[in-house]
Amino acid sequence: MENGQKNTKKIIAIIAVVLAVLLAVAGLTIWSYHVYQANNDPTAPGQTDISGESASGSEPAGDESVTASKSGASTQSGSKSTTGKRGGTANLPDLSIPKEVLEQLTNPNATLPAVTPAETATDAAVWGTEDEKPSGGTPVKNLSTVQQIVSYFNSAANQVKTGKPALNAKATLRVRENITGSSEAENTSQSYQKGTNLNDAFPVAGQSWSSKLEATGVKSATCSQKDGKYYIAIFMKDEKDPKPLTSNHGKAFTCFDSEELMDMAAQSGDAEAQAMLKNMGFTTNYSGCKISCVVDAKTGKMLSAKYYTNVTMKISVSGLSVIPVSLIMNVTTTQDFSMKW
């Protein structure tokens, strides 16, 4: 699976793993297994997976736990919950659900864990001040309005797929969720030889084009010139539940598709899963998303680009045989690309 699609699938897989807790409460663990398996595809032929390290936040302490039965009844257990590692095989979370987790699931005022200073420093290193505006850069007269900058960016981004340069792609994915109060980060890196089809490797994944961005979806944009290069930064307007390909974000970013998650869940064919899906609410809010890129001023060819997305997801389930539960997740992704023509 190529880089852009793989990042979207990772988000779905992570949600599937966390949803396993919800499903355990309802006694529907088979559904989560199917979703996890469907999204945990191996690396596709023709690409190099250089790294895939991950660092998980610690589990909440507490020996007292509750195990959900098929009927929705709970029994006491003395074991702690464990979270399976994501990799080539699916390891579902243990069905022993800590008391603290159940409290979070049913707390209407639950909030996400705060970002630690270490995480802030790490994220700042991924997206630095030079991505916002290069030091020593001068304004470009004919690229001074949002419309002009967006149009120029579209042209440069689309050339990446038509020109097929050698491409190095890195991605940093961070997930925070309210159930365990943990924060997890994962880094990946892939490379593509010159002439490789980049339709799935570069945003928008799965398309022969890279950007159809419109100025109406952009909050602000800047362009500076330095050392014969244009430094462009585009800041998006916030958007709720953006649809892939057609929304403001969907025209330039590989958006998370909530309908895809539901479709994959439906493939299990489990009648109880279908009933649960009818009572599931799923919303996404894209906030503070942005793009930076460096373009050769003479040729108009893109030399590097970064795509940053910040998505808050809310999943709620009601009408079950157990008490209503909810999940809040924040997913931030930075994709870092460099091209050699």
Side-chain angles (χ1 to χ4, degrees):
M1 184 173 295
E2 303 294 348
N3 187 64
Q5 288 182 325
K6 188 175 181 181
N7 286 332
T8 301
K9 296 295 185 181
K10 282 179 182 176
I11 296 175
I12 297 175
I14 290 171
I15 291 177
V17 173
V18 179
L19 271 177
V21 178
L22 303 181
L23 297 170
V25 174
L28 301 174
T29 56
I30 295 178
W31 175 70
S32 77
Y33 178 84
H34 282 298
V35 174
Y36 188 93
Q37 284 286 65
N39 289 285
N40 211 28
D41 294 341
T43 302
Q47 70 182 41
T48 304
D49 191 348
I50 300 176
S51 66
E53 299 178 354
S54 63
S56 299
S58 58
E59 293 289 332
D63 292 334
E64 186 177 6
S65 59
V66 182
T67 301
S69 66
K70 186 69 176 178
S71 62
S74 299
T75 57
Q76 293 294 327
S77 168
S79 62
K80 295 182 180 180
S81 68
T82 58
T83 301
K85 296 181 180 179
R86 287 184 299 281
T89 59
N91 297 310
L92 292 176
D94 193 285
L95 296 186
S96 297
I97 304 174
K99 181 179 179 181
E100 295 88 345
V101 171
L102 289 178
E103 290 175 349
Q104 281 292 315
L105 284 171
T106 58
N107 181 7
N109 299 315
T111 59
L112 290 166
V115 179
T116 66
E119 291 172 343
T120 300
T122 300
D123 294 343
V126 174
W127 184 287
T129 55
E130 286 290 303
D131 296 302
E132 302 283 344
K133 187 176 181 180
S135 59
T138 59
V140 181
K141 186 176 181 180
N142 61 336
L143 293 176
S144 58
T145 68
V146 172
Q147 180 65 53
Q148 290 172 332
I149 295 172
V150 167
S151 178
Y152 187 84
F153 166 77
N154 287 345
S155 178
N158 287 327
Q159 283 190 64
V160 174
K161 290 189 176 179
T162 58
K164 301 178 182 179
L167 183 72
N168 286 325
K170 299 178 182 179
T172 299
L173 177 72
R174 183 181 299 284
V175 178
R176 294 182 296 138
E177 42 82 15
N178 69 306
I179 294 181
T180 64
S182 65
S183 176
E184 179 176 312
E186 181 175 353
N187 300 307
T188 61
S189 182
Q190 298 168 354
S191 62
Y192 305 84
Q193 296 181 349
K194 188 174 182 178
T196 301
N197 186 315
L198 301 177
N199 287 354
D200 292 332
F202 190 74
V204 172
Q207 304 303 310
S208 60
W209 49 271
S210 299
S211 180
K212 294 183 179 180
L213 187 62
E214 297 179 3
T216 54
V218 176
K219 182 178 180 180
S220 65
T222 62
C223 180
S224 300
Q225 185 172 7
K226 179 182 179 182
D227 300 329
K229 302 172 184 177
Y230 290 151
Y231 291 78
I232 296 173
I234 296 174
F235 305 88
M236 300 292 294
K237 294 178 180 178
D238 294 353
E239 190 171 19
K240 185 176 181 180
D241 295 325
K243 296 294 184 182
L245 309 181
T246 59
S247 64
N248 292 332
H249 284 79
K251 293 176 181 178
F253 294 81
T254 304
C255 287
F256 175 81
D257 190 352
S258 58
E259 293 181 0
E260 183 178 7
L261 174 63
M262 299 307 174
D263 289 342
M264 289 181 175
Q267 291 175 9
S268 68
D270 190 299
E272 290 179 295
Q274 297 297 327
M276 184 178 184
L277 288 174
K278 292 180 181 179
N279 296 297
M280 180 179 289
F282 189 95
T283 62
T284 60
N285 186 57
Y286 283 60
S287 176
C289 300
K290 50 194 176 183
I291 301 172
S292 74
C293 67
V294 180
V295 181
D296 187 300
K298 289 184 178 180
T299 64
K301 293 181 178 179
M302 189 174 287
L303 304 177
S304 64
K306 286 185 180 180
Y307 288 69
Y308 173 84
T309 57
N310 177 40
V311 186
T312 298
M313 306 177 181
K314 293 184 179 181
I315 304 171
S316 60
V317 183
S318 61
L320 301 175
S321 57
V322 292
I323 51 181
V325 293
S326 62
L327 164 68
I328 304 174
M329 296 182 66
N330 177 254
V331 181
T332 59
T333 306
T334 301
Q335 292 176 285
D336 187 352
F337 303 96
S338 61
M339 303 84 174
K340 290 185 179 180
W341 297 84

